[in-house]
Amino acid sequence: MNEYMTIKEVAEKWDISIRRINTLCNDGRIPGCVKFGVNWAIPSNAEKPADMRIKSGKYVKNNYNE
């Protein structure tokens, strides 16, 4: 059986915020995470997903000039 960690434990392990972990779970970006009521259970062997947020300030997907 897989061992699970809480959002707080994963946030400390990956050095990112609890809120960001919650967003990743809601978006389905962490494989194997399961929601129990209001809490998420994240597999202990889950890997940190790549950061896909826009950092340049330029929107890549939407081109409103067309």
Side-chain angles (χ1 to χ4, degrees), residues 16-49:
I16 57 178
S17 71
I18 292 171
R19 179 69 184 136
R20 183 70 186 141
I21 299 291
N22 192 38
T23 301
L24 291 171
C25 290
N26 282 327
D27 292 345
R29 302 260 327 273
I30 302 175
C33 65
V34 181
K35 191 167 190 176
F36 294 105
V38 296
N39 299 317
W40 285 98
I42 303 166
S44 59
N45 62 351
E47 293 191 19
K48 181 179 177 180

